[in-house]
Amino acid sequence: MQIPVLAELVSEGKSPEILFWVGCAGSFDNRAQKVTRAFCKILHEAGISYAILGNEENCTGDAARRAGNEFVFQMAALQNIQVLEGYGIQKIVTACPHCFNTLKNDYPALGGNYEVLHHTQLIQQLFLQGRLKLKEGGPFKGKRITYHDSCYLGRVNGVYEIPRAILAELDADLVEMKRSKSNGLCCGAGGAQMFKEDEPGDKRINMERTEEALSTHAHVIAANCPFCITMLQDGIKSKEKQDDILVKDLAELVAERL
Amino acid sequence: MLQPLLFVVVVAVAGLMAFRSFRRIYQNIHLGKPEVITGDVAIRRKNVLLVAFGQKKMFKQWLPAVLHLCIYVAFVITQIELVEIFIDGFTGNHRIFAPYLGGFYTFVISFIEVLSVLAFVATITFLARRNLLKIPRFTKSELDGWPRLDANLILFGEIILITGIFCMNGADVVLQKIRPDHYPDTGFLAISGWLGPVLFGGLSEGTLVAVERFGWWLHLLTVLAFLNYLPYSKHLHIMLAFPNVYFSRLKPRGEMDNMPVIMNEVKSMMGLVEESENATEGGEMSEFGAKDVFDLSWKTVMDAYTCTECGRCTEACPANITGKKLSPRKIMMDIRDRAEEIGQHIEVNHTPFINPEKGGDVLTVENYADGKSLFDYISREEIHACTTCNACVEACPVMINPVVPILELRRYEILTEAAGPQEWVPMFTSVENSGAVWQMPVARDAWTQEA
Ligand code: SF4
Ligand code: SF4
């Protein structure tokens, strides 16, 4: 699979329909890279014309901003906006809800206005347009799947039903956790928590969420955020339940059935 | 003649006292920074209708929602009777509306009585929930002391109010039979119609008149006392919920307020704007974020005064659930307590708190310095624990946003004090120097090789 890079396409005189914003986790984190590749596979299968920025991409600055470091955020953001302006980008898709939120909600005040989609939104559109054809069967057909709402896709941006609609396409047997949708429980990574230890308390937030997920007796936890995946995976590892339950991004579940 | 006079004096004194208290609240809210609230008026009106009048967000938990609704509706409808009490009080009449409204009067008063009974049941249940059942959000430490007493006092006040109504109406019903000239026929009242004769039947006329007047004054005085009590209580929400919902943020939840000063600074560093464009603004600005009430938007201070201390935010907060120190309710209560403290000092012109550098003879918002700040109320540990998950924002029935002040306090810590969790420093450095949250030895597109 050849991943199209924007600078190269432009030099060939082509302009893709949509920019795939990979994000720091999607670029560097081993686990998240698998999601990135799975999503690329989906884009290829659906015949979408897309490109990545490659080395011209920069951190969106979400974590720095939420930690309180506006200075570092502004530097990252303005740099990105310059690059995006340079290419005249209008439409962006990303597999990270933090990138999604920052590009969509934080950048306009700095002069960056784009149509921003989370990858689950694009996948659902592709299903609706009939551009994705799933193979029969697959490893998760009829298996119990629970869905973890990330805060930044769910409560912060109000997207609850689209990921569930994708699970319906997969014929999975969705079992909801006790706290879901607008009452969903955070994985513990947002607001720059990912980059430090939890404050002292009775337990770590990801353990609380992992226990809740395990109590559904699902075979798979479907997620939509690289940080949620890390947090839940860590929780499952410390519970030694790796053999019982898998943490998968929705893009991975879809890609496995293509 | 004596009664109208007494009435006028009591109402005037209570009214004046209440006015002063409410002016104080208004001034304290405006200790906060000016902020122009923008956004669609139609959406704001709709929010007021659904969330404030309609109690929409309460219905996430049906039991407290229904009980609260009983007290709320009873409160609103009882105002009709209060209008009559005021007219009667000033004019020395008795039930001035009764002869004119006839059957409709019977209906309205009966409706109030039925709602009062429901409110009574709700009040008793609330007292039990607060004091007997161990409901986590009512047992947190931030409620120790005044907040817990406040919550109970108001419920007792509610019982006194209802007692007043039934003394008044019950004795009245019996008196109507004895002295129809002075006690106009109200028709058969839903509760007092039978409860009155049961309780007061057979009493002498003098006693009945005394009971009726006792109920009438008890009701009036409780209402006036309540009015004066509100500004010291979480029950201020019965008023502030409306403007607070109206002025609540319409921006996307995920949007953090931009800091134009820093944006321009960075733009000029990057050569995106002319140096001079930036020079006038922020040249000597050295403080960013919020360390005190003065640095928060007035809207955030209004949030703090609107907080009902219900703890729905804290109950939903992942940090609090897992035993961390953060409680968004406490953050809001702390902001209010700090605003009260500053407001009191300014009110009495406590001159030792005048910042000598700024000078002046009168303590004002501009020269205020008592050596304290919000950080004396809110610990670093609390603000560091927030995941910005917005569960608190979602949960709040009166559209309070605790994340906004938490993030402003973080900004102060990082930008002004250059403090904050040490573990964040490598992340900042990486974002700044290598454009990623982690320091990575490989190129950003290295993953494409294996794709
Ligand atoms: S946003 Fe912060 S304070 Fe609010 S519920 Fe989440 S962690 Fe708690
Ligand atoms: S902020 Fe809202 S949810 Fe939290 S205690 Fe106050 S009123 Fe209740």
Side-chain angles (χ1 to χ4, degrees):
Chain A
M1 191 165 51
Q2 184 69 35
I3 310 294
V5 178
L6 188 58
E8 290 165 16
L9 284 195
V10 169
S11 72
E12 290 163 22
K14 291 186 224 158
S15 63
E17 184 191 323
I18 191 163
L19 177 76
F20 172 26
W21 187 276
V22 185
C24 295
S27 302
F28 294 118
D29 180 84
N30 279 332
R31 179 67 188 83
Q33 282 175 349
K34 293 189 183 149
V35 179
T36 308
R37 291 190 198 107
F39 184 56
C40 286
K41 185 177 169 195
I42 293 170
L43 293 171
H44 280 273
E45 286 291 322
I48 296 278
S49 86
Y50 77 100
I52 62 165
L53 279 172
N55 281 318
E56 286 185 283
E57 190 186 281
N58 199 15
C59 175
T60 58
D62 158 74
R65 189 172 224 199
R66 267 121 201 117
N69 201 329
E70 185 73 4
F71 206 81
V72 166
F73 164 73
Q74 293 281 350
M75 288 201 289
L78 290 169
Q79 215 169 310
N80 280 326
I81 290 172
Q82 254 189 309
V83 171
L84 294 168
E85 293 300 302
Y87 286 115
I89 296 297
Q90 274 157 7
K91 200 171 167 187
I92 304 174
V93 64
T94 174
C96 172
H98 293 269
C99 295
F100 167 69
N101 178 70
T102 305
L103 292 166
K104 182 171 188 275
N105 296 320
D106 281 339
Y107 279 26
L110 316 185
N113 291 290
Y114 320 100
E115 182 192 344
V116 189
L117 292 177
H118 184 253
H119 69 315
T120 54
Q121 293 175 316
L122 184 66
I123 290 173
Q124 198 221 14
Q125 285 177 14
L126 296 176
F127 273 127
L128 291 177
Q129 293 161 0
R131 290 169 81 173
L132 282 180
K133 292 273 174 298
L134 295 179
K135 285 209 210 79
E136 273 307 306
F140 302 113
K141 190 177 160 72
K143 289 269 165 88
R144 285 166 79 88
I145 293 188
T146 192
Y147 173 69
H148 168 77
D149 290 276
S150 67
C151 301
Y152 271 74
L153 187 64
R155 222 162 12 232
V156 170
N157 284 292
V159 180
Y160 303 113
E161 295 308 328
I162 288 172
R164 288 176 170 82
I166 295 174
L167 286 172
E169 294 281 345
L170 293 168
D171 289 330
D173 179 8
L174 176 64
V175 273
E176 293 286 0
M177 284 186 255
K178 198 174 88 217
R179 288 171 279 210
S180 64
K181 299 186 185 169
S182 64
N183 297 321
L185 183 72
C186 181
C187 72
Q193 300 299 319
M194 183 72 194
F195 305 97
K196 68 172 187 52
E197 278 304 311
D198 280 27
E199 301 304 310
D202 304 333
K203 64 163 97 153
R204 298 183 59 202
I205 294 172
N206 65 334
M207 294 311 294
E208 174 83 12
R209 189 50 161 172
T210 303
E211 283 163 18
E212 199 165 281
L214 287 173
S215 72
T216 62
H217 302 291
H219 302 96
V220 178
I221 306 173
N224 63 58
C225 169
F227 297 107
C228 295
I229 290 179
T230 304
M231 284 301 196
L232 293 167
Q233 199 86 65
D234 281 357
I236 282 161
K237 233 179 249 156
S238 36
K239 292 263 169 198
E240 296 184 358
K241 294 282 184 199
Q242 302 97 302
D243 299 334
D244 303 345
I245 192 162
L246 294 169
V247 187
K248 292 269 182 182
D249 190 275
L250 283 167
E252 293 178 294
L253 295 175
V254 171
E256 280 178 45
R257 290 273 302 274
L258 292 175
Chain B
M1 219 32 240
L2 187 65
Q3 185 175 298
L5 202 67
L6 192 62
F7 180 87
V8 170
V9 173
V10 168
V11 169
V13 170
L16 209 68
M17 278 166 56
F19 173 75
R20 289 174 55 124
S21 294
F22 283 106
R23 195 183 52 186
R24 202 193 74 232
I25 304 277
Y26 178 86
Q27 284 165 345
N28 287 355
I29 287 174
H30 287 88
L31 291 173
K33 269 196 313 199
E35 182 194 339
V36 185
I37 309 278
T38 52
D40 197 334
V41 173
I43 299 179
R44 295 181 184 288
R45 292 212 183 108
K46 199 175 124 210
N47 282 346
V48 171
L49 221 60
L50 288 177
V51 179
F53 276 107
Q55 320 256 295
K56 180 175 155 214
K57 294 187 84 180
M58 290 288 286
F59 280 88
K60 287 197 151 191
Q61 293 173 301
W62 71 269
L63 181 68
V66 169
L67 295 173
H68 183 268
L69 193 71
C70 291
I71 295 187
Y72 166 67
V73 177
F75 172 81
V76 172
I77 306 288
T78 310
Q79 304 313 309
I80 302 176
E81 190 160 16
L82 203 62
V83 171
E84 186 180 51
I85 288 183
F86 267 79
I87 296 177
D88 287 349
F90 274 119
T91 58
N93 276 307
H94 186 75
R95 295 201 185 259
I96 187 145
F97 292 157
Y100 300 106
L101 299 179
F104 184 64
Y105 188 84
T106 310
F107 170 75
V108 170
I109 302 293
S110 293
F111 194 47
I112 292 173
E113 289 200 340
V114 172
L115 285 167
S116 297
V117 171
L118 290 174
F120 184 75
V121 173
T123 306
I124 300 294
T125 319
F126 277 159
L127 277 168
R129 273 169 62 90
R130 278 199 177 261
N131 299 295
L132 302 177
L133 305 179
K134 290 269 165 285
I135 293 176
R137 65 187 165 99
F138 296 140
T139 56
K140 305 262 171 197
S141 62
E142 65 256 27
L143 292 187
D144 291 346
W146 170 246
R148 186 164 287 122
L149 180 64
D150 175 26
N152 282 324
L153 278 180
I154 212 78
L155 291 169
F156 285 121
E158 182 73 26
I159 293 176
I160 296 177
L161 211 58
I162 294 168
T163 310
I165 289 185
F166 286 114
C167 279
M168 180 172 94
N169 289 355
D172 199 294
V173 168
V174 182
L175 279 166
Q176 287 170 28
K177 303 264 161 22
I178 305 174
R179 286 190 50 195
D181 55 323
H182 189 71
Y183 293 93
D185 185 11
T186 55
F188 186 84
L189 300 179
I191 309 288
S192 301
W194 57 269
L195 189 66
V198 170
L199 288 180
F200 308 121
L203 294 181
S204 72
E205 189 187 324
T207 317
L208 285 170
V209 172
V211 171
E212 196 278 333
R213 282 296 89 184
F214 169 77
W216 192 87
W217 277 100
L218 186 67
H219 190 88
L220 176 77
L221 291 175
T222 312
V223 167
L224 293 177
F226 185 62
L227 190 67
N228 276 283
Y229 177 79
L230 274 189
Y232 302 94
S233 164
K234 76 189 189 86
H235 290 89
L236 195 53
H237 77 266
I238 64 167
M239 294 180 158
L240 285 189
F242 297 88
N244 202 62
V245 167
Y246 182 81
F247 288 117
S248 66
R249 283 168 80 94
L250 298 183
K251 286 185 204 170
R253 268 191 197 160
E255 179 182 345
M256 266 180 83
D257 292 329
N258 191 25
M259 299 180 76
V261 179
I262 292 186
M263 183 180 72
N264 291 335
E265 173 96 358
V266 173
K267 275 187 178 170
S268 75
M269 272 171 46
M270 291 170 63
L272 295 175
V273 288
E274 293 292 319
E275 198 72 50
S276 58
E277 228 179 276
N278 184 41
T280 44
E281 265 187 82
E284 81 277 38
M285 274 277 283
S286 56
E287 299 226 331
F288 300 104
K291 81 156 186 296
D292 214 335
V293 169
F294 310 109
D295 314 313
L296 296 169
S297 158
W298 67 271
K299 176 58 181 57
T300 296
V301 190
M302 190 196 255
D303 272 0
Y305 273 101
T306 309
C307 176
T308 73
E309 297 170 14
C310 68
R312 284 176 172 79
C313 52
T314 296
E315 190 177 54
C317 173
N320 195 276
I321 287 169
T322 52
K324 283 143 194 104
K325 249 181 106 187
L326 173 62
S327 161
R329 166 172 61 185
K330 179 181 168 292
I331 303 282
M332 300 321 291
M333 291 168 72
D334 287 340
I335 294 170
R336 171 164 63 185
D337 290 349
R338 176 65 181 154
E340 281 285 299
E341 181 182 55
I342 297 171
Q344 268 161 25
H345 290 152
I346 291 180
E347 194 173 354
V348 301
N349 188 25
H350 193 59
T351 49
F353 289 162
I354 293 179
N355 180 351
E357 281 174 29
K358 301 251 174 76
D361 304 324
V362 185
L363 186 63
T364 63
V365 172
E366 281 72 35
N367 62 16
Y368 188 93
D370 63 357
K372 287 168 77 179
S373 74
L374 270 173
F375 288 104
D376 291 293
Y377 286 79
I378 302 168
S379 69
R380 313 278 168 158
E381 196 177 323
E382 290 165 65
I383 58 167
H384 295 164
C386 176
T387 70
T388 68
C389 72
N390 276 266
C392 51
V393 180
E394 177 77 34
C396 183
V398 287
M399 293 179 94
I400 287 169
N401 187 329
V403 189
V404 166
I406 290 174
L407 290 175
E408 287 302 316
L409 288 163
R410 279 190 185 176
R411 278 175 164 170
Y412 183 84
E413 195 178 44
I414 302 276
L415 298 168
T416 309
E417 300 181 318
Q422 276 308 302
E423 292 159 276
W424 276 344
V425 176
M427 182 261 289
F428 295 150
T429 318
S430 297
V431 174
E432 191 170 349
N433 297 334
S434 46
V437 281
W438 302 287
Q439 196 81 48
M440 296 306 287
V442 294
R444 204 173 175 95
D445 59 357
W447 64 271
T448 56
Q449 305 309 313
E450 295 165 53

